[in-house]
Amino acid sequence: MPSVGAEGLSSFAPSAGFLRRRRLLAGLFAALLWAAAALSVLITLAIVAVLIGESLPFLEEVGLSAVLLDTVWTPLFAEPRYGIWALVAGTLTTTLIALALALPAGLALALYLCEYAPPRLREAAKPVLELLAAVPTVVYGYFALLVVTPLLQGLIPGLPPFNMLAAGLVLGVMILPYAVSLSEDALRAVPRELREAAYALGFTRLQTGLGVMLPAARSGIVSAFLLALARAMGETMVVTLAAGQNPRFTFNPLEGAATMTAYIVQVSFGDVPYGSRAYRSLFVVALGLFLCTFAVNLLATLLSRKRSHRGA
Amino acid sequence: MSSTLPPRIRRARLLELAFGLFGLLLPGAAAFTLLVLMFDLVRSGLPHLDWDFLSAFPSRRPERAGILPAWVGSLAILSVTAALAVPLGVAAGLYLEAYAPRGAFTRLVEVNIANLAGVPSILYGLLGLALFVDGLGLGASILSAAMVLALLILPVVIVATREALRAVPRTLWEAAYALGADRRQTLLRFVLPAAAPGILTGVIVALSRAVGETAPLVAVGALSFIAFLPPSPLRPEPPYVDAEWLFSPFTALSIQMFGWLSRPQPAFHELAAAAGVVLLALALLINALAIVLRLRARRLAP
């Protein structure tokens, strides 16, 4: 058997130069990847910095109380008023209508998919939900303005062409796939022993679902609907097109009223001179929107973390 | 025989059956609603859909208006978005899966990515307005729009990359290490190619969302009435390529549709429907491609 000498082996060993180059590249590569990950944190910081930085001068000029203690929003009038509640009311009303539709329908669908549906139907449902989520929001806006509103006008005489009811309902349809797929995940995370124990006690599937699965997945489901809620608050096109662009402090779904997002779109769809009052008012509204959605998202995250701590 | 059962149990069985039927009806009702809506969109839009519509510029006269700058703009923005978001997102995903030490920084990045996914898209648009359009002086351009959309889909790309990397068998990593490859070589030559189909699927899903986005583009200054195309990226003389188009004013299919919908005249609403059909077809096609890719990858997997 021919033996390999020391020189024979060393000719296979990588040269010192190769190893040095490789080490250098490895370090460079790791640094690049780190920078990419750090960038994502920078984005959040930039959003917060921009929103605060651009609205602070505005808030200093008009005062925080003018924004928070008034219900008339007319920042572009000759005698401007900055009561942001007029926009918040629109956002809240449309969002709550959306939730009133999406909550029962979403719960029922998730429960059905999880407890009743044969595996084949369940497999088919996922891609369908995904396709639904891919419908562009401006297309939903078209539906709200030109299909749902005329339909509702047939049912409710005197309904204005811009109303929060149609916008809210379409918003509900829009967040439905999202709410269903998140609640389904929460239901799926319940240990199967719980379901089997219920069956062993003679529960029907409906009793199992309502009496065992839903309570067990409670925090996950609440967090799913909070995330859906935050999405509805931040949605733009449906409410801009269907609820109108007139800031009005009202919670009546049969009236039209601008939401926070609708105001931003309405103003920025024109030409906004940099640093003008219109420009700054955009960022004040945006800051309000950011705080609202951030609070709801944070609540959702805290709830789902509680669930994972309990180990359910 | 069931009539001898206690009423409580009979009621439970009845409810059980009722919910089963209701559950069958509910997806049916949802599908029906959607079909009615689609039908309405297609019925209003289809008569306008022809070559003239695709190859004409917008016009004040509805019968002569078209969506040429809109779909050219959408494709241009989408390609730049992908070129920006894919390397950044994949790199961040690689870092989190293969390099990140357990610690405060990693947790911060992870929580942050989850939070970014919940930020309303219009706020990304305002970030772009302050930072790219006015701050960097890029103006209301294709590049500004694409940068905003890239930031918007970055969390989706990162999450998809991480999931695809996690699906690669550990044995592949170990085999590469055993052959003397270092971490970079293992990732670039073995793990990343194995994860590529999964990453691609995630990227495509993210792009199908980006193509329908309207609000952030409005915020960075999209125009709904453009009577010209961005300059060509190719030039007859060296260096043959030109980046001028990146700084061109822009519109997009979603913006064009929104612009027409904001007008009161019904004739423009029909044009909006036609643009909507094109936009919807584009978004659903891209998404269906991702679903097909995923199903195929699953079938090929051991």
Side-chain angles (χ1 to χ4, degrees):
Chain A
M1 204 185 209
S3 66
V4 183
E7 301 100 82
L9 257 183
S10 71
S11 70
F12 284 106
S15 72
F18 170 81
L19 284 177
R20 200 160 356 104
R21 263 201 318 279
R22 194 171 85 153
R23 226 175 3 250
L24 197 74
L25 276 177
L28 208 66
F29 186 65
L32 274 179
L33 297 191
W34 181 87
L39 179 79
S40 72
V41 182
L42 220 59
I43 297 172
T44 307
L45 291 181
I47 290 178
V48 175
V50 160
L51 292 184
I52 293 181
E54 295 289 346
S55 40
L56 262 190
F58 183 95
L59 290 175
E60 269 170 9
E61 191 190 316
V62 307
L64 198 60
S65 58
V67 175
L68 291 182
L69 298 178
D70 195 358
T71 54
V72 179
W73 177 263
T74 51
L76 306 181
F77 285 15
E79 278 171 39
R81 290 178 66 180
Y82 308 100
I84 201 170
W85 293 112
L87 299 175
V88 176
T91 296
L92 275 183
T93 310
T94 49
T95 307
L96 289 181
I97 296 169
L99 202 63
L101 177 73
L103 187 65
L107 270 185
L109 259 175
L111 211 56
Y112 180 79
L113 283 178
C114 233
E115 302 298 313
Y116 277 75
R120 193 174 294 221
L121 182 63
R122 206 179 301 157
E123 279 296 299
K126 274 268 166 183
V128 171
L129 287 179
E130 243 171 72
L131 281 180
L132 275 183
V135 174
T137 56
V138 62
V139 174
Y140 279 114
Y142 174 93
F143 294 150
L145 180 68
L146 296 177
V147 185
V148 176
T149 296
L151 219 67
L152 287 175
Q153 279 174 324
L155 296 173
I156 309 168
L159 189 72
F162 296 115
N163 63 84
M164 292 192 278
L165 183 60
L169 289 177
V170 172
L171 215 51
V173 173
M174 216 181 88
I175 61 171
L176 192 60
Y178 189 62
V180 169
S181 106
L182 284 176
S183 336
E184 211 199 331
D185 290 344
L187 283 171
R188 187 102 3 118
V190 174
R192 46 182 307 160
E193 289 83 3
L194 277 183
R195 179 188 293 125
E196 279 157 14
Y199 283 154
L201 288 173
F203 278 36
T204 63
R205 283 181 295 184
L206 183 63
Q207 286 170 328
T208 309
L210 290 177
V212 177
M213 302 300 282
L214 275 189
R218 192 179 47 222
S219 56
I221 288 176
V222 172
S223 120
F225 279 94
L226 284 177
L227 288 176
L229 185 79
R231 186 159 286 203
M233 288 175 121
E235 214 296 310
T236 312
M237 280 302 132
V238 172
V239 286
T240 307
L241 284 166
Q245 305 182 344
N246 189 3
R248 199 177 328 177
F249 184 74
T250 172
F251 294 97
N252 181 358
L254 302 183
E255 289 182 52
T259 63
M260 294 194 266
T261 51
Y263 175 77
I264 299 175
V265 166
Q266 179 201 354
V267 171
S268 57
F269 204 35
D271 198 21
V272 204
Y274 175 77
S276 61
R277 199 199 302 156
Y279 185 91
R280 298 241 189 266
S281 73
L282 280 182
F283 288 90
V284 173
V285 176
L287 182 63
L289 179 65
F290 181 77
L291 291 177
C292 289
T293 52
F294 186 75
V296 176
N297 277 324
L298 194 68
L299 206 60
T301 317
L302 290 178
L303 273 174
S304 62
R305 188 165 307 152
K306 202 173 98 197
R307 177 184 51 152
S308 60
H309 271 301
R310 256 207 330 250
Chain B
M1 178 183 149
S2 64
S3 59
T4 61
L5 286 168
R8 225 162 54 94
I9 293 185
R10 249 189 300 157
R11 212 178 53 230
R13 284 197 171 173
L14 206 68
L15 280 175
E16 161 91 359
L17 194 70
F19 187 72
L21 286 177
F22 171 72
L24 270 182
L25 283 178
L26 204 60
F32 178 75
T33 315
L34 210 77
L35 280 179
V36 168
L37 295 177
M38 298 291 167
F39 176 75
D40 187 88
L41 185 79
V42 172
R43 195 195 51 193
S44 315
L46 214 52
H48 290 272
L49 265 183
D50 51 22
W51 179 245
D52 287 340
F53 184 68
L54 292 175
S55 63
F57 289 97
S59 163
R60 249 177 292 273
R61 305 235 300 273
E63 64 280 3
R64 286 179 50 186
I67 54 169
L68 178 65
W71 67 259
V72 170
S74 274
L75 291 185
I77 293 170
L78 216 55
S79 53
V80 181
T81 300
L84 291 171
V86 172
L88 278 176
V90 171
L94 277 176
Y95 176 81
L96 289 173
E97 276 312 300
Y99 282 83
R102 285 187 164 277
F105 177 73
T106 307
R107 265 191 57 76
L108 174 71
V109 173
E110 283 178 339
V111 169
N112 176 61
I113 288 169
N115 278 334
L116 272 183
V119 173
S121 63
I122 191 158
L123 295 186
Y124 283 92
L126 287 179
L127 172 72
L129 175 65
L131 216 59
F132 307 146
V133 177
D134 296 324
L136 295 180
L138 297 175
S141 61
I142 289 179
L143 186 60
S144 294
M147 281 163 82
V148 164
L149 290 187
L151 295 187
L152 186 65
I153 67 169
L154 199 59
V156 189
V157 178
I158 295 176
V159 170
T161 303
R162 297 189 67 179
E163 274 169 12
L165 287 175
R166 239 174 281 157
V168 174
R170 263 342 262 195
T171 46
L172 190 70
W173 296 69
E174 283 155 15
Y177 283 142
L179 287 172
D182 70 358
R183 190 148 44 168
R184 177 186 61 93
Q185 291 168 322
T186 304
L187 279 174
L188 287 183
R189 299 194 195 165
F190 299 95
V191 178
L192 204 52
I199 298 177
L200 191 66
T201 309
V203 168
I204 293 175
V205 169
L207 287 179
S208 81
R209 300 288 142 83
V211 76
E213 279 296 348
T214 317
L217 298 186
V218 170
V220 291
L223 302 172
S224 70
F225 195 97
I226 284 194
F228 54 87
L229 288 180
S232 161
L234 298 175
R235 274 200 306 191
E237 71 275 11
Y240 302 111
V241 285
D242 191 356
E244 196 52 39
W245 61 281
L246 285 173
F247 302 97
S248 165
F250 69 100
T251 186
L253 272 172
S254 54
I255 298 293
Q256 190 67 68
M257 184 178 178
F258 175 60
W260 278 332
L261 274 178
S262 327
R263 285 164 167 257
Q265 303 92 327
F268 282 109
H269 291 168
E270 285 175 19
L271 291 180
V277 171
V278 177
L279 181 63
L280 192 64
L282 197 62
L284 292 187
L285 263 181
I286 299 177
N287 216 271
L289 182 68
I291 291 176
V292 169
L293 266 176
R294 185 168 43 213
L295 288 181
R296 230 186 55 166
R298 202 179 296 165
R299 209 173 315 133
L300 290 179

